[in-house]
Amino acid sequence: MKVIAVIPARGGSKSVPLKNIKKINGKPLIEYTIETALKSKKIFKIIVSTDSSTIANVVKKYGEIIIVKRPDYLSSDTSTTESCLIHALETISKDYNIKADIVLTLEPTSPFRSLKTINDAIKILTDGKSDSVIGVKESKVCFGLINNDNSFEHIIKNQPRRRQDRNPIYIESSTIYGTLTKTLIDNQSVLGKNPFPLIVDKFESIDINEKFDLIVAESY
């Protein structure tokens, strides 16, 4: 099965402008994802989808990467990741005659994603265990809501007070998504009917969205 990895790297970001090329330990953020993906022998081709010429110029030094120019109408704050993925698939099919069976979504905001996680996601899909894979992280946090009367209500009832005694719950991590191409197109979603949960550790699940996240990543 032919696997492609798409790195969505929009230039616009209200919280951190040009976040995807902010430097961590002297290296642009997106390069961490590119260099890990390049180590996987299971990925046929890596695509960076971007609307930014500045980001494209950073990526150009990796000659084996295909850069897909994302149109403005797919680059707004309301544009979906799925629309970006499908546009990338259509572009490489038309321009390079590449047709993929599996699409990995590798957000550049997850710089600590491991090669093992990438290869494990591919294996799950190629083995036919599911139509999609979603990265998740474990937590024993007590989640709740604040009601209109300002009272706090636990979402999961009757959890033990001691953290050690709680059953873990799992939170969606943006570390990795993997999808059969047919599932992506049919559902217009990276998630199929039965997404397989791929557990990643807290280090890999660090997701950079705010300036504070950059500080945390830099400290690691």
Side-chain angles (χ1 to χ4, degrees):
M1 298 181 78
K2 189 169 289 185
V3 181
I4 66 161
V6 178
I7 303 173
R10 192 168 64 94
S13 173
K14 291 181 179 178
S15 56
V16 183
L18 288 174
K19 170 179 61 180
N20 291 315
I21 54 173
K22 288 292 183 185
K23 290 188 176 180
I24 295 179
N25 197 27
K27 182 189 294 187
L29 180 59
I30 195 171
E31 292 190 14
Y32 288 89
T33 291
I34 289 172
E35 290 177 3
T36 304
L38 284 171
K39 292 175 184 176
S40 176
K41 296 179 181 178
K42 298 181 179 182
I43 295 175
F44 177 76
K45 188 61 71 173
I46 302 167
I47 293 94
V48 170
S49 170
T50 185
D51 61 323
S52 167
S53 58
T54 304
I55 293 175
N57 286 334
V58 170
V59 174
K60 280 179 182 176
K61 73 176 187 179
Y62 299 95
E64 54 270 78
I65 303 291
I66 295 176
I67 300 172
V68 170
K69 179 70 169 68
R70 197 191 309 187
D72 291 341
Y73 71 90
L74 295 179
S75 305
S76 70
D77 290 338
T78 58
S79 299
T80 65
T81 299
E82 285 82 359
S83 64
C84 154
L85 299 176
I86 292 169
H87 174 261
L89 285 171
E90 291 171 347
T91 301
I92 63 171
S93 175
K94 185 178 80 170
D95 295 349
Y96 299 92
N97 197 30
I98 296 173
K99 298 188 185 300
D101 301 295
I102 291 171
V103 182
L104 295 183
T105 307
L106 305 179
E107 298 282 357
T109 49
S110 297
F112 303 117
R113 179 193 305 102
S114 70
L115 175 61
K116 182 179 185 303
T117 290
I118 290 174
N119 287 339
D120 284 350
I122 295 170
K123 189 174 191 306
I124 290 164
L125 292 168
T126 54
D127 286 352
K129 292 181 179 179
S130 183
D131 59 2
S132 55
V133 173
I134 179 173
V136 298
K137 58 182 177 180
E138 182 181 298
S139 175
K140 291 191 176 183
V141 171
C142 287
F143 288 101
L145 300 171
I146 297 177
N147 297 318
N148 291 335
D149 62 357
N150 282 331
S151 63
F152 181 82
E153 179 183 1
H154 288 100
I155 293 174
I156 300 176
K157 306 296 184 183
N158 302 318
Q159 291 194 83
R161 296 310 311 146
R162 285 185 1 123
R163 180 183 177 279
Q164 303 95 305
D165 297 333
R166 297 174 196 153
N167 290 324
I169 58 176
Y170 295 90
I171 306 167
E172 181 173 343
S173 164
S174 64
T175 308
I176 194 164
Y177 299 91
T179 321
L180 298 180
T181 301
K182 185 178 185 307
T183 298
L184 171 65
I185 293 171
D186 288 349
N187 295 357
Q188 297 288 297
S189 173
V190 293
L191 300 181
K193 293 181 179 179
N194 298 293
F196 190 101
L198 181 58
I199 301 171
V200 298
D201 64 28
K202 290 181 180 179
F203 183 67
E204 283 195 66
S205 68
I206 290 174
D207 182 27
I208 296 173
N209 289 301
E210 309 290 339
K211 289 181 180 179
F212 176 77
D213 301 325
L214 283 168
I215 295 169
V216 172
E218 181 76 25
S219 71
Y220 274 106

